[in-house]
Coordinates of all heavy atoms in Angstrom, one line a residue:
M161 N -4.6 -6.9 -12.6 CA -3.1 -7.2 -12.6 C -2.9 -8.6 -12.0 O -3.6 -9.1 -11.2 CB -2.4 -6.2 -11.8 CG -0.9 -6.4 -11.8 SD 0.1 -5.2 -10.8 CE -0.1 -3.7 -11.8
A162 N -1.9 -9.2 -12.6 CA -1.6 -10.6 -12.1 C -0.9 -10.6 -10.8 O -0.5 -9.6 -10.3 CB -0.7 -11.3 -13.2
D163 N -0.8 -11.8 -10.2 CA -0.2 -12.0 -8.9 C 1.3 -11.6 -9.0 O 2.1 -12.1 -9.8 CB -0.3 -13.5 -8.5 CG 0.3 -13.8 -7.2 OD1 0.7 -12.9 -6.5 OD2 0.4 -15.0 -6.9
T164 N 1.7 -10.7 -8.1 CA 3.1 -10.2 -8.2 C 4.1 -11.2 -7.7 O 5.3 -11.0 -7.9 CB 3.3 -8.9 -7.3 OG1 2.8 -9.2 -6.0 CG2 2.4 -7.8 -7.9
S165 N 3.7 -12.3 -7.1 CA 4.6 -13.3 -6.6 C 4.7 -14.4 -7.7 O 5.4 -15.4 -7.4 CB 4.1 -13.9 -5.3 OG 2.9 -14.6 -5.5
A166 N 4.1 -14.3 -8.8 CA 4.1 -15.3 -9.8 C 5.5 -15.5 -10.4 O 6.3 -14.6 -10.5 CB 3.2 -14.9 -11.0
T167 N 5.8 -16.7 -10.7 CA 7.1 -17.1 -11.3 C 6.9 -17.5 -12.7 O 5.7 -17.9 -13.1 CB 7.9 -18.2 -10.5 OG1 7.0 -19.3 -10.5 CG2 8.2 -17.7 -9.1
A168 N 7.9 -17.5 -13.5 CA 7.7 -17.8 -14.9 C 8.5 -19.1 -15.2 O 9.5 -19.4 -14.6 CB 8.3 -16.7 -15.8
P169 N 8.0 -19.9 -16.1 CA 8.8 -21.1 -16.5 C 10.1 -20.7 -17.1 O 10.3 -19.6 -17.6 CB 7.9 -21.8 -17.6 CG 6.5 -21.2 -17.4 CD 6.8 -19.8 -16.8
P170 N 11.1 -21.6 -17.1 CA 12.4 -21.3 -17.7 C 12.2 -20.8 -19.2 O 11.4 -21.3 -19.9 CB 13.1 -22.7 -17.8 CG 12.5 -23.5 -16.7 CD 11.0 -23.0 -16.6
S171 N 13.0 -19.8 -19.5 CA 13.0 -19.1 -20.8 C 11.8 -18.2 -21.1 O 11.7 -17.6 -22.1 CB 13.2 -20.1 -22.0 OG 12.0 -20.7 -22.3
H172 N 10.9 -18.1 -20.1 CA 9.8 -17.2 -20.2 C 10.1 -15.8 -19.6 O 11.1 -15.7 -18.8 CB 8.5 -17.7 -19.6 CG 7.9 -18.9 -20.3 ND1 6.6 -18.8 -20.8 CD2 8.4 -20.0 -20.8 CE1 6.3 -19.9 -21.4 NE2 7.4 -20.7 -21.4
S173 N 9.4 -14.8 -19.9 CA 9.6 -13.5 -19.3 C 9.0 -13.4 -17.9 O 7.8 -13.5 -17.7 CB 8.9 -12.4 -20.2 OG 8.8 -11.2 -19.5
R174 N 9.9 -13.2 -16.9 CA 9.4 -13.0 -15.5 C 8.5 -11.8 -15.4 O 7.5 -11.8 -14.7 CB 10.5 -13.0 -14.6 CG 11.2 -14.4 -14.4 CD 12.3 -14.4 -13.4 NE 13.4 -13.5 -13.8 CZ 14.3 -13.0 -13.0 NH1 14.3 -13.2 -11.8 NH2 15.3 -12.2 -13.6
A175 N 8.9 -10.7 -16.1 CA 8.1 -9.5 -16.0 C 6.7 -9.7 -16.6 O 5.7 -9.2 -16.0 CB 8.9 -8.4 -16.7
G176 N 6.7 -10.3 -17.7 CA 5.4 -10.6 -18.4 C 4.5 -11.4 -17.5 O 3.3 -11.1 -17.3
H177 N 5.0 -12.5 -16.9 CA 4.2 -13.3 -16.0 C 3.8 -12.6 -14.7 O 2.7 -12.7 -14.2 CB 5.0 -14.6 -15.6 CG 4.9 -15.6 -16.7 ND1 3.9 -16.6 -16.7 CD2 5.5 -15.8 -17.9 CE1 4.1 -17.4 -17.8 NE2 5.0 -16.9 -18.5
R178 N 4.7 -11.7 -14.2 CA 4.4 -11.0 -13.0 C 3.3 -10.0 -13.2 O 2.3 -9.8 -12.4 CB 5.6 -10.2 -12.5 CG 5.4 -9.5 -11.2 CD 6.7 -8.8 -10.7 NE 7.1 -7.8 -11.6 CZ 8.2 -7.9 -12.4 NH1 9.0 -8.9 -12.3 NH2 8.6 -6.9 -13.2
V179 N 3.3 -9.3 -14.4 CA 2.3 -8.2 -14.7 C 1.1 -8.8 -15.4 O -0.1 -8.4 -15.0 CB 3.0 -7.1 -15.5 CG1 2.0 -6.1 -16.0 CG2 4.1 -6.5 -14.8
H180 N 1.2 -9.6 -16.4 CA 0.1 -10.0 -17.2 C -0.4 -11.5 -16.8 O -1.5 -11.8 -17.2 CB 0.4 -10.0 -18.7 CG 1.0 -8.7 -19.1 ND1 0.3 -7.5 -19.0 CD2 2.2 -8.4 -19.7 CE1 1.0 -6.5 -19.5 NE2 2.2 -7.0 -19.9
G181 N 0.5 -12.2 -16.2 CA 0.2 -13.6 -15.9 C 0.5 -14.6 -17.1 O 0.3 -15.8 -17.0
W182 N 1.2 -14.0 -18.1 CA 1.6 -14.8 -19.3 C 2.7 -14.0 -20.0 O 2.9 -12.8 -19.7 CB 0.4 -15.1 -20.2 CG -0.3 -13.8 -20.6 CD1 -1.4 -13.2 -20.0 CD2 0.0 -13.0 -21.7 NE1 -1.7 -12.1 -20.6 CE2 -1.0 -11.9 -21.7 CE3 0.9 -13.0 -22.8 CZ2 -0.9 -10.9 -22.7 CZ3 0.9 -12.0 -23.7 CH2 0.0 -11.0 -23.7
C183 N 3.3 -14.6 -21.0 CA 4.2 -13.9 -21.9 C 4.2 -14.5 -23.3 O 3.5 -15.4 -23.5 CB 5.7 -14.0 -21.3 SG 6.5 -15.5 -21.5
S184 N 4.9 -13.9 -24.2 CA 4.9 -14.4 -25.6 C 5.5 -15.8 -25.8 O 5.3 -16.3 -26.8 CB 5.6 -13.4 -26.5 OG 7.0 -13.3 -26.1
M185 N 6.2 -16.3 -24.8 CA 6.7 -17.6 -24.9 C 5.7 -18.7 -24.5 O 5.9 -19.9 -24.7 CB 8.0 -17.8 -24.0 CG 9.1 -16.9 -24.5 SD 9.7 -17.3 -26.2 CE 10.4 -19.0 -25.9
C186 N 4.6 -18.3 -23.9 CA 3.5 -19.2 -23.5 C 2.8 -19.8 -24.7 O 2.7 -19.1 -25.7 CB 2.5 -18.5 -22.6 SG 3.2 -18.1 -21.0
P187 N 2.3 -21.0 -24.6 CA 1.6 -21.6 -25.7 C 0.4 -20.7 -26.1 O -0.3 -20.1 -25.2 CB 1.1 -23.0 -25.1 CG 2.0 -23.2 -24.0 CD 2.4 -21.9 -23.4
D188 N 0.1 -20.7 -27.4 CA -1.0 -19.9 -27.9 C -0.9 -18.4 -27.7 O -1.9 -17.7 -27.7 CB -2.3 -20.4 -27.4 CG -2.6 -21.8 -27.7 OD1 -2.2 -22.3 -28.8 OD2 -3.1 -22.6 -26.9
R189 N 0.3 -17.9 -27.5 CA 0.6 -16.4 -27.4 C 1.6 -16.0 -28.4 O 2.4 -16.8 -28.8 CB 1.1 -16.1 -26.0 CG 0.1 -16.2 -24.9 CD -1.0 -15.2 -25.0 NE -1.9 -15.3 -23.8 CZ -2.8 -14.5 -23.6 NH1 -3.0 -13.4 -24.3 NH2 -3.6 -14.6 -22.5
E190 N 1.5 -14.8 -28.9 CA 2.4 -14.3 -29.9 C 3.1 -13.1 -29.3 O 2.7 -12.4 -28.4 CB 1.6 -13.9 -31.1 CG 0.9 -15.0 -31.8 CD 1.8 -16.0 -32.5 OE1 2.9 -15.6 -32.9 OE2 1.4 -17.1 -32.7
V191 N 4.2 -12.7 -29.9 CA 5.0 -11.6 -29.5 C 4.2 -10.3 -29.6 O 4.2 -9.4 -28.7 CB 6.3 -11.4 -30.4 CG1 7.0 -10.1 -30.0 CG2 7.2 -12.6 -30.1
W192 N 3.4 -10.1 -30.7 CA 2.6 -8.9 -30.8 C 1.6 -8.7 -29.7 O 1.3 -7.6 -29.3 CB 1.9 -8.8 -32.2 CG 0.9 -9.8 -32.4 CD1 1.0 -11.1 -33.0 CD2 -0.5 -9.7 -32.0 NE1 -0.2 -11.7 -33.0 CE2 -1.2 -10.9 -32.4 CE3 -1.3 -8.8 -31.4 CZ2 -2.5 -11.2 -32.2 CZ3 -2.6 -9.0 -31.2 CH2 -3.2 -10.2 -31.6
E193 N 1.1 -9.9 -29.2 CA 0.1 -9.8 -28.1 C 0.8 -9.2 -26.8 O 0.2 -8.4 -26.1 CB -0.5 -11.2 -27.8 CG -1.4 -11.7 -28.9 CD -1.8 -13.1 -28.6 OE1 -1.0 -14.0 -28.5 OE2 -3.0 -13.3 -28.5
E194 N 2.0 -9.7 -26.5 CA 2.7 -9.2 -25.4 C 3.1 -7.7 -25.5 O 2.9 -6.9 -24.6 CB 4.0 -10.0 -25.1 CG 4.6 -9.6 -23.8 CD 5.8 -10.4 -23.3 OE1 6.1 -11.4 -24.0 OE2 6.4 -10.1 -22.3
L195 N 3.5 -7.3 -26.7 CA 3.8 -5.9 -27.0 C 2.6 -5.1 -26.8 O 2.7 -4.0 -26.2 CB 4.4 -5.8 -28.4 CG 4.7 -4.4 -28.9 CD1 5.7 -3.7 -28.0 CD2 5.2 -4.4 -30.3
Q196 N 1.5 -5.5 -27.3 CA 0.3 -4.7 -27.2 C -0.2 -4.6 -25.7 O -0.6 -3.6 -25.3 CB -0.9 -5.4 -28.0 CG -2.2 -4.6 -28.0 CD -3.2 -5.3 -28.8 OE1 -3.1 -6.5 -29.1 NE2 -4.3 -4.6 -29.1
A197 N 0.0 -5.7 -25.0 CA -0.4 -5.6 -23.6 C 0.5 -4.6 -22.8 O 0.0 -3.9 -22.0 CB -0.2 -7.0 -22.9
W198 N 1.8 -4.6 -23.1 CA 2.7 -3.7 -22.4 C 2.4 -2.2 -22.8 O 2.3 -1.3 -22.0 CB 4.2 -4.0 -22.8 CG 4.8 -5.1 -22.0 CD1 5.1 -6.3 -22.5 CD2 5.0 -5.2 -20.6 NE1 5.6 -7.1 -21.5 CE2 5.5 -6.5 -20.3 CE3 4.8 -4.3 -19.6 CZ2 5.9 -6.9 -19.0 CZ3 5.1 -4.7 -18.3 CH2 5.7 -6.0 -18.0
R199 N 2.1 -2.0 -24.1 CA 1.7 -0.7 -24.6 C 0.5 -0.2 -23.9 O 0.4 1.0 -23.5 CB 1.6 -0.6 -26.1 CG 2.9 -0.7 -26.8 CD 2.7 -0.6 -28.3 NE 4.0 -0.5 -29.0 CZ 4.1 -0.6 -30.3 NH1 3.0 -0.7 -31.1 NH2 5.3 -0.5 -30.9
A200 N -0.5 -1.1 -23.9 CA -1.8 -0.7 -23.3 C -1.6 -0.4 -21.8 O -2.2 0.6 -21.3 CB -2.8 -1.8 -23.4
R201 N -0.8 -1.1 -21.1 CA -0.5 -0.9 -19.7 C 0.1 0.4 -19.5 O -0.2 1.2 -18.6 CB 0.3 -2.0 -19.1 CG 0.7 -1.8 -17.7 CD 1.5 -3.0 -17.2 NE 1.8 -2.9 -15.8 CZ 2.9 -2.5 -15.3 NH1 3.9 -2.1 -16.0 NH2 3.1 -2.4 -13.9
E202 N 1.2 0.7 -20.3 CA 1.9 2.0 -20.1 C 1.1 3.2 -20.5 O 1.1 4.2 -19.9 CB 3.2 1.9 -20.9 CG 4.2 1.0 -20.3 CD 4.5 1.3 -18.8 OE1 5.0 2.4 -18.5 OE2 4.3 0.4 -18.0
N203 N 0.3 3.0 -21.6 CA -0.6 4.1 -22.0 C -1.6 4.4 -20.9 O -1.9 5.6 -20.7 CB -1.3 3.8 -23.3 CG -0.4 3.9 -24.5 OD1 0.7 4.6 -24.5 ND2 -0.7 3.3 -25.6
G204 N -2.1 3.4 -20.3 CA -3.1 3.6 -19.2 C -2.4 4.3 -18.0 O -3.1 5.1 -17.3
R205 N -1.2 4.0 -17.8 CA -0.5 4.6 -16.6 C -0.1 6.1 -16.9 O 0.0 6.9 -16.0 CB 0.8 3.9 -16.3 CG 0.6 2.5 -15.7 CD 1.8 1.8 -15.5 NE 2.8 2.6 -14.7 CZ 4.1 2.4 -14.6 NH1 4.6 1.4 -15.2 NH2 4.9 3.2 -14.0
H206 N 0.1 6.5 -18.2 CA 0.7 7.8 -18.5 C -0.3 8.7 -19.2 O -0.1 9.9 -19.1 CB 1.9 7.7 -19.3 CG 3.0 6.9 -18.6 ND1 3.7 7.5 -17.5 CD2 3.5 5.7 -18.7 CE1 4.6 6.6 -17.0 NE2 4.5 5.5 -17.7
D207 N -1.3 8.2 -19.9 CA -2.2 9.1 -20.6 C -3.3 9.6 -19.6 O -4.0 8.8 -19.1 CB -2.9 8.3 -21.7 CG -1.9 8.1 -22.9 OD1 -0.8 8.6 -22.9 OD2 -2.3 7.3 -23.8
I208 N -3.3 10.9 -19.5 CA -4.4 11.5 -18.6 C -5.4 12.2 -19.5 O -6.5 12.5 -19.0 CB -3.8 12.5 -17.6 CG1 -3.0 13.6 -18.3 CG2 -2.9 11.7 -16.6 CD1 -2.5 14.7 -17.3
T209 N -5.1 12.5 -20.7 CA -6.1 13.0 -21.6 C -6.0 12.4 -23.0 O -4.9 11.9 -23.3 CB -5.9 14.6 -21.8 OG1 -4.6 14.7 -22.4 CG2 -6.0 15.3 -20.5
P210 N -7.1 12.3 -23.7 CA -7.0 11.7 -25.0 C -6.2 12.5 -25.9 O -6.3 13.8 -25.9 CB -8.4 11.6 -25.5 CG -9.3 12.4 -24.6 CD -8.4 12.7 -23.3
A211 N -5.3 11.9 -26.7 CA -4.4 12.7 -27.6 C -4.3 11.9 -28.9 O -4.2 10.6 -28.8 CB -3.1 13.0 -27.0
P212 N -4.2 12.5 -30.0 CA -4.0 11.8 -31.3 C -2.6 11.2 -31.3 O -1.6 11.8 -30.7 CB -4.2 12.8 -32.4 CG -3.9 14.1 -31.7 CD -4.3 13.9 -30.2
D213 N -2.4 10.0 -31.9 CA -1.1 9.5 -31.9 C -0.4 9.8 -33.3 O 0.7 9.3 -33.6 CB -1.1 8.0 -31.7 CG -2.2 7.2 -32.3 OD1 -3.2 7.8 -32.6 OD2 -2.1 6.0 -32.5
R214 N -1.0 10.7 -34.1 CA -0.4 11.1 -35.3 C -0.5 12.6 -35.5 O -1.4 13.2 -34.9 CB -1.1 10.4 -36.5 CG -0.8 8.9 -36.5 CD -1.0 8.3 -37.9 NE -0.5 7.0 -37.9 CZ -1.2 5.9 -37.6 NH1 -2.4 6.0 -37.3 NH2 -0.6 4.7 -37.7
V215 N 0.4 13.2 -36.2 CA 0.3 14.6 -36.5 C -0.9 14.9 -37.3 O -1.2 14.2 -38.2 CB 1.6 15.1 -37.2 CG1 1.6 16.5 -37.5 CG2 2.8 14.7 -36.3
P216 N -1.6 16.0 -37.1 CA -2.7 16.4 -37.9 C -2.3 16.6 -39.4 O -1.1 17.0 -39.6 CB -3.2 17.7 -37.4 CG -2.5 17.9 -36.1 CD -1.3 17.0 -36.0
S217 N -3.1 16.2 -40.3 CA -2.7 16.4 -41.7 C -3.6 17.5 -42.3 O -4.8 17.5 -42.1 CB -3.0 15.1 -42.4 OG -2.7 15.2 -43.8
P218 N -3.0 18.4 -43.0 CA -1.6 18.6 -43.2 C -1.0 19.3 -41.9 O -1.7 20.0 -41.2 CB -1.5 19.6 -44.4 CG -2.8 20.4 -44.3 CD -3.8 19.4 -43.7
S219 N 0.3 19.0 -41.7 CA 0.9 19.5 -40.5 C 1.1 21.0 -40.6 O 1.1 21.6 -41.7 CB 2.3 18.8 -40.3 OG 3.2 19.2 -41.3
E220 N 1.3 21.6 -39.5 CA 1.5 23.1 -39.5 C 2.8 23.4 -40.3 O 2.8 24.5 -40.9 CB 1.6 23.6 -38.1 CG 0.3 23.5 -37.3 CD 0.5 23.9 -35.9 OE1 1.5 24.6 -35.5 OE2 -0.4 23.6 -35.1
V221 N 3.8 22.6 -40.2 CA 5.1 22.9 -40.9 C 4.8 22.8 -42.4 O 5.3 23.7 -43.2 CB 6.2 21.8 -40.5 CG1 7.4 22.0 -41.3 CG2 6.5 22.0 -39.0
A222 N 4.1 21.9 -42.9 CA 3.8 21.7 -44.3 C 3.0 22.9 -44.8 O 3.2 23.3 -46.0 CB 3.2 20.4 -44.6
S223 N 2.1 23.4 -44.0 CA 1.2 24.5 -44.5 C 1.9 25.8 -44.6 O 1.4 26.7 -45.2 CB 0.0 24.5 -43.6 OG 0.3 24.8 -42.3
R224 N 3.0 26.0 -43.9 CA 3.8 27.2 -43.9 C 4.5 27.4 -45.2 O 4.9 28.5 -45.6 CB 4.8 27.3 -42.8 CG 4.1 27.6 -41.5 CD 5.1 27.9 -40.4 NE 5.1 26.7 -39.5 CZ 6.1 26.5 -38.7 NH1 7.1 27.2 -38.6 NH2 6.0 25.4 -37.9
G225 N 4.9 26.2 -45.9 CA 5.6 26.2 -47.1 C 5.7 27.3 -48.0 O 6.3 28.0 -48.5

């Protein structure tokens, strides 16, 4: 984790800089990279067991038809 006392340049994400040390406004960074970093962080904090991120195919609802 990045330094919690870090500050961000004007117009940059303070939260991104505090947590990741960078944000999507930094040179050579893209919005999708910041989004992926936040998702990975949150998934790591909340996922305690592996789980699929999609419904099994065919779904139980469709098979009852």
Side-chain angles (χ1 to χ4, degrees):
M161 183 181 288
D163 180 9
T164 57
S165 65
T167 58
S171 78
H172 285 237
S173 168
R174 288 184 294 162
H177 278 264
R178 184 178 63 251
V179 173
H180 308 299
W182 55 271
C183 76
S184 60
M185 295 298 292
C186 290
D188 300 323
R189 293 291 186 168
E190 300 288 335
V191 173
W192 67 266
E193 292 175 297
E194 186 173 358
L195 176 61
Q196 183 180 18
W198 283 113
R199 284 181 176 174
R201 179 178 184 260
E202 291 304 302
N203 285 340
R205 289 178 50 196
H206 298 288
D207 287 349
I208 57 173
T209 60
D213 40 337
R214 293 202 167 89
V215 176
S217 180
S219 70
E220 292 177 16
V221 174
S223 62
R224 284 188 253 165

